[in-house]
Amino acid sequence: MKNPKKIRRPKSELPFRLNLIFFVVFALLLLLVGQLGYLQILYGSKLQAVVNRTDNTVETNNVQRGVIYDSTGKVLVGNTAHQAISYTKGANVMAQDMFNIANTLGKYLEANDTELSRTDIANYLLADSKNSKYYEKKITNRENLSSKAVQEKEIDYIKNSDVKLSSKEENAARIFKIMNGAYQLSTVYIKETDVSSKELSEIGEHLSEMPGVKISTSWTRSYPEGNDIKSLAGTVSSSKTGLPSDEVNTLLAEGYARNDSVGQSYLEKQYESVLKGTKSQTAIQVSSGGQIVKKVQQYAGKKGDNLVLTINSKFQEEVQKIMKEASKNAGGQSTGGYAVVMNPKTGAVIALAGADRNPSTGKMTDNVLGTINEPIVMGSVVKGAAISGALMDGVITPSNNTLIDEPIKVAGTGSKSSWFNSTGSANMSVDASRALEVSSNSYMMQLAMKEGGFKYSSGASLSGMNPNVFNKLRGYFEQFGLGTKTGIDLPGESSGFKGPTGSANIGKALDLSFGNYDAYTTIQVAQYMSTIANGGYRVAPHVVEQIRSSKQNGKMGAVQKTVSPTVLNQVDMTSAQRKLVTDGLYDVVHGSNKYKTGGPLAGISPGISAKTGTAQTTTNGKTTVTLSLASYAPSNDPQVVVALALPGLSTNAESDNMTAAKKIYAAYWKYVQSKSTLTNPTKATSETAAQNLNSN
C-alpha cells in the first residue's frame, strides 16, 4: 500500500502583519510620549499659565460714589442705598440659559422701566431653541446661508411680522434684555430701586432656581440740602442709561463697563476719577464645564473720595433767592439774574447763583451755571480794566491823566457821551480816579483813541485809527480775566463773545472801551475785580477746596489734597498806577462828586469799593438795559468780591443791581464771615492786597 501524499499548506503571513502593526503603534506611542515630554519640559510653565488664565477670572462690583460737602461740612450730594436685584453672568452662559432664568425671575419681579424694541423682542424669542427652530423654517433658501445670516433673517422676520407677546412674556423680555447686555462675569442691575418686600421675599425663596441672580444693594444720588445744588453738582448716569454715547469708547478703554454709572456733567464729571472709587475684585475659578467652583475676594473695593466745596450752602441758598427775587421784581423783559461771590486772594468761590426768566411767562428756572457759560454785555463795570490798560500802554500816567469829559462826535456816527453829559452842558475836567467815580464814557473813548494812535477832534473820521486797537484793548482786558476763560474747575465754561473788528467796525472800538460791545460771563467779572482787589494777580476760581477720604463709618476722613491758589498771570502795574484805579473804585461809593454812581452802596459796613455798570441792549425787539456790579470788601483789606448782572431790564431801572448787592453783603457777614475778624475798613493802600495774597 502506497503512503498518502502530504498536502502542502501555504505559510500564514498574519503574524508578520500583526507584528508590523504593533511596531507602528509602538513607534507612534514613543513619538507621542516624546512630544509630551518635549512640551512639558520646554513649554510647561507657559501652557500652565494659559490654563490658569482660562480657568481663573476676576469679577468686579461697583462701590459707593464719594460724597460732596459744603464748606461747613454739610452733605450736599450723598448716596441713598436701595435693595436691588442683580444678575452676574456666568462663564459660558448660553442664551437659552438666560431665557429660562428671565422667565423664572419674571414670575416674581416687575421690570416695567425698561423699554423694548422690536429687535429686543426678536432676541428674546430666538434665545429659546424651540422658537429658533420654528422661525428658522420661515427662512427660504436657508440651506445656502451661514448660521449668522439665518439668524439675521430670523430677526428681520420677527421685526416685520405682527408678533405680539403676552404681558408676562414682555416682562420676561425686559429682564432678558438687561441680562443679555452683561459681559461674562460682570454684574448688572435688573431692578435698582423700588423693589417691593413681596418681590424680595419671593425671589429669595427661589434664588437656587436662577443662577447668577442675587439680592444686592444699589445707590442713587441724594440731595439733603435740596435739589438746587444739582445744577452745580451735575448728574450721574444710571446702570440703565449706561455710559454716555459720545464717550463710550474712551471710558471702556479706561476700564468701565457699559452699564457703569459715570459723572455726566459739571462737578460729577470734572471729578469723576476722585468720586468713582475703586471696584471690588473677586477671583472666580471656573471648571472646564463653565461652572463657578470657587470665589475668593481679593479686594473689598474702596468708596470714592469726597469733595469739600468752597461754597457755603446756606449762603448759596440766600444768594440764589436774592437773584431770583431781583429778576422777578424787575419784570418786563428781564431774562434772569446771576451772581458770583469769591475770595479774591485764593479764588475760592463762596456762592454761584443764577436764574433764567422767561419774559413772556415770567417763569423762573434755576441756572447756577449761567454764571460761567452765559456771556452778557456788562457795561461800565469794565472801566477799571480800561484805565489800567491805558496806564500800562503809557497814553496816560499817574501824574498826567486829566481829560475833558465832553460828547464824542466822529464822522459817520451819532454823538456818544457820558450819562451825565449827553448835551455837553456838564463838560468838566476828570482824572482817572474821577472818571471811575462818575463813570465817564467820554474818558474811556478818548483813551481808546489814544491807544489806537488817533488824535481826536470833533467831527473827524476814525478812518485814521489803527484797527489793531481792538486787539490792544482786549489784550489788557484779558489780563484781568475779561474775554478769556477764568480756569474755574468746572467743565463748559464760556470765554465770552467778541464782536467783529477791522476798519469797517472801527467805531465799535469806542463802545468796547466802556463795556458796551463785547460780552463777558459773571465769573469773568468776578475774576477781573479780584485781580484789582488782590494787587494784580489773576487767580483761577475754584469750587473744590479739599479732597478727603472716608472713614469706615462713612464719615469724612483724612485730607488727601487741598486746592492751592493758582495764579494765571500777574498784571504789570506799578503801585502808583494801581492806586489811581483803587482810589477811583473807592470813590464810586464814598466820593464827594454829585455824579458818583455807587452812592446807594455807602451804607454797607464794612465799606466797599465798587464799579457799577449799565449797558444798552435789545431784548425781544425792545430796548432794555443790563445792570451790573463788580465790588470788593473791605476796601483796605479785600476778603470778598461780589459780581452780579441783571440783563433785560426796562430802561427806567436804576438801582436793582445795588439793592441786590446790599442784600448779598448782609448775608455774607451773617452766614460766612464775622465782621469781628476784620480791622477797621478804611481806604485801600496800593500794596496791601498784593502782600496779603503773597502771604497765603
Side-chain angles (χ1 to χ4, degrees):
M1 183 174 177
K2 293 183 179 178
N3 292 331
K5 287 186 178 180
K6 292 183 179 180
I7 300 173
R8 295 179 61 95
R9 293 178 179 162
K11 203 171 186 179
S12 175
E13 296 181 2
L14 181 60
F16 173 77
R17 292 177 181 176
L18 188 60
N19 289 335
L20 179 61
I21 291 172
F22 286 156
F23 176 78
V24 171
V25 170
F26 180 72
L28 291 174
L29 285 173
L30 286 177
L31 287 173
L32 180 60
V33 171
Q35 182 67 16
L36 288 173
Y38 173 76
L39 292 174
Q40 180 66 30
I41 295 170
L42 295 183
Y43 297 102
S45 60
K46 292 183 179 180
L47 293 174
Q48 184 63 45
V50 171
V51 171
N52 290 339
R53 190 163 59 246
T54 302
D55 291 346
N56 295 289
T57 313
V58 175
E59 174 187 302
T60 61
N61 282 290
N62 292 328
V63 294
Q64 288 191 61
R65 287 179 73 82
V67 174
I68 301 178
Y69 298 87
D70 84 338
S71 60
T72 67
K74 290 181 180 178
V75 175
L76 299 180
V77 184
N79 299 301
T80 299
H82 307 273
Q83 286 192 299
I85 305 301
S86 65
Y87 171 70
T88 302
K89 189 174 183 178
N92 303 323
V93 171
M94 306 300 291
Q96 180 72 62
D97 300 326
M98 291 188 291
F99 178 87
N100 296 336
I101 294 170
N103 281 282
T104 303
L105 182 58
K107 297 176 184 179
Y108 318 114
L109 183 74
E110 292 291 332
N112 295 326
D113 59 344
T114 300
E115 296 181 359
L116 281 179
S117 67
R118 296 296 298 175
T119 302
D120 296 329
I121 292 173
N123 288 334
Y124 165 72
L125 290 173
L126 295 174
D128 181 53
S129 59
K130 294 180 181 179
N131 289 332
S132 181
K133 290 178 181 178
Y134 171 79
Y135 286 109
E136 183 179 347
K137 295 177 181 179
K138 303 289 185 180
I139 308 304
T140 58
N141 199 32
R142 60 182 179 275
E143 297 82 4
N144 300 322
L145 299 175
S146 65
S147 57
K148 181 179 180 182
V150 170
Q151 186 180 36
E152 291 174 351
K153 292 282 187 181
E154 289 175 330
I155 292 174
D156 289 338
Y157 178 86
I158 296 173
K159 288 170 63 177
N160 296 324
S161 61
D162 189 25
V163 177
K164 293 183 179 179
L165 302 180
S166 67
S167 59
K168 290 183 178 180
E169 288 174 326
E170 282 188 359
N171 186 52
R174 292 188 182 96
I175 295 173
F176 177 84
K177 176 183 178 179
I178 300 171
M179 296 169 64
N180 195 39
Y183 295 110
Q184 179 176 295
L185 295 179
S186 69
T187 300
V188 293
Y189 287 110
I190 305 297
K191 194 170 184 178
E192 286 187 83
T193 59
D194 302 322
V195 181
S196 70
S197 57
K198 180 181 178 182
E199 289 174 326
L200 289 169
S201 175
E202 292 183 340
I203 292 170
E205 292 175 5
H206 297 86
L207 281 177
S208 60
E209 303 169 19
M210 300 174 288
V213 175
K214 292 183 290 185
I215 296 174
S216 56
T217 302
S218 68
W219 295 274
T220 58
R221 283 311 217 183
S222 59
Y223 305 90
E225 296 298 316
N227 290 333
D228 289 350
I229 197 64
K230 289 176 72 173
S231 58
L232 173 62
T235 58
V236 178
S237 67
S238 66
S239 62
K240 177 183 174 183
T241 57
L243 303 180
S245 58
D246 58 338
E247 298 179 86
V248 63
N249 291 331
T250 300
L251 293 171
L252 287 174
E254 293 175 3
Y256 286 84
R258 287 185 181 274
N259 64 309
D260 277 349
S261 297
V262 62
Q264 293 180 298
S265 58
Y266 302 119
L267 284 173
E268 295 278 19
K269 180 176 182 178
Q270 186 77 5
Y271 288 91
E272 168 66 18
S273 61
V274 172
L275 293 168
K276 70 175 182 178
T278 308
K279 295 181 179 182
S280 65
Q281 297 182 358
T282 301
I284 306 293
Q285 192 174 64
V286 184
S287 68
S288 58
Q291 300 299 313
I292 296 176
V293 297
K294 187 177 181 182
K295 298 177 72 171
V296 179
Q297 188 179 73
Q298 295 179 324
Y299 176 59
K302 178 179 177 293
K303 175 189 172 186
D305 285 336
N306 309 304
L307 301 182
V308 179
L309 304 187
T310 59
I311 289 173
N312 179 301
S313 61
K314 181 61 179 176
F315 179 61
Q316 166 77 22
E317 180 183 353
E318 193 67 21
V319 177
Q320 182 74 3
K321 178 181 176 182
I322 291 168
M323 296 312 297
K324 290 176 75 171
E325 287 181 348
S327 178
K328 181 179 179 181
N329 294 339
Q333 298 300 309
S334 169
T335 58
Y338 309 94
V340 175
V341 183
M342 64 185 285
N343 184 318
K345 302 171 187 176
T346 66
V349 175
I350 307 161
L352 283 174
D356 293 336
R357 178 179 178 273
N358 185 321
S360 300
T361 64
K363 182 180 179 181
M364 301 293 299
T365 305
D366 289 337
N367 183 18
V368 170
L369 273 302
T371 54
I372 72 168
N373 59 31
E374 188 70 34
I376 300 169
V377 177
M378 294 289 184
S380 299
V381 289
V382 308
K383 288 176 179 175
I387 288 178
S388 297
L391 286 164
M392 287 187 283
D393 201 56
V395 296
I396 56 173
T397 67
S399 59
N400 183 12
N401 55 82
T402 301
L403 302 171
I404 302 297
D405 184 291
E406 59 180 318
I408 301 299
K409 300 175 182 179
V410 294
T413 186
S415 175
K416 298 176 184 288
S417 64
S418 301
W419 66 274
F420 58 86
N421 193 23
S422 59
T423 64
S425 60
N427 286 4
M428 61 179 178
S429 297
V430 291
D431 61 12
S433 296
R434 180 63 57 83
L436 288 172
E437 179 185 2
V438 301
S439 198
S440 171
N441 289 346
S442 175
Y443 192 90
M444 307 304 152
M445 289 187 282
Q446 291 180 62
L447 295 182
M449 288 187 283
K450 289 177 179 293
E451 290 175 79
F454 181 76
K455 186 175 182 180
Y456 171 70
S457 61
S458 182
S461 170
L462 287 176
S463 59
M465 190 170 172
N466 190 340
N468 191 51
V469 68
F470 285 101
N471 293 333
K472 182 177 286 189
L473 292 174
R474 287 169 176 165
Y476 290 127
F477 282 12
E478 288 177 5
Q479 288 190 44
F480 291 88
L482 295 170
T484 187
K485 291 185 178 182
T486 65
I488 190 169
D489 54 344
L490 289 168
E493 181 185 9
S494 169
S495 60
F497 174 80
K498 296 177 181 178
T501 61
S503 299
N505 299 288
I506 195 65
K508 296 297 184 181
L510 305 185
D511 298 330
L512 175 63
S513 70
F514 60 89
N516 217 63
Y517 191 48
D518 286 356
Y520 313 109
T521 62
T522 313
I523 192 71
Q524 288 175 350
V525 175
Q527 187 182 61
Y528 142 67
M529 189 52 65
S530 295
T531 305
I532 292 176
N534 67 33
Y537 296 88
R538 186 166 76 95
V539 180
H542 59 93
V543 297
V544 174
E545 183 71 22
Q546 292 179 335
I547 296 172
R548 303 185 68 159
S549 63
S550 296
K551 296 179 180 178
Q552 288 187 348
N553 61 5
K555 300 296 183 181
M556 192 159 46
V559 175
Q560 304 294 311
K561 179 182 178 181
T562 298
V563 177
S564 301
T566 301
V567 177
L568 303 176
N569 62 267
Q570 183 177 359
V571 180
D572 188 18
M573 295 177 68
T574 66
S575 58
Q577 290 172 335
R578 281 196 294 271
K579 189 174 186 301
L580 278 178
V581 176
T582 55
D583 283 354
L585 297 175
Y586 183 87
D587 290 342
V588 166
V589 180
H590 307 284
S592 58
N593 193 288
K594 64 179 180 179
Y595 295 124
K596 70 180 180 184
T597 59
L601 301 170
I604 295 176
S605 175
I608 73 170
S609 295
K611 184 68 195 79
T612 60
T614 304
Q616 306 299 320
T617 56
T618 300
T619 307
N620 296 327
K622 297 181 180 180
T623 300
T624 56
V625 297
T626 293
L627 293 183
S628 57
L629 180 83
S631 61
Y632 59 81
S635 293
N636 71 316
D637 183 16
Q639 298 189 37
V640 58
V641 160
V642 174
L644 61 87
L646 291 162
L649 306 189
S650 62
T651 54
N652 59 4
E654 293 183 354
S655 59
D656 301 62
N657 52 345
M658 289 181 275
T659 300
K662 286 191 286 185
K663 293 179 179 179
I664 291 173
Y665 273 109
Y668 177 83
W669 299 117
K670 180 178 180 180
Y671 296 115
V672 181
Q673 185 177 1
S674 171
K675 294 180 183 180
S676 63
T677 63
L678 304 173
T679 57
N680 183 36
T682 58
K683 204 170 186 178
T685 60
S686 59
E687 295 298 327
T688 302
Q691 291 170 354
N692 287 335
L693 177 65
N694 286 329
S695 67
N696 275 283

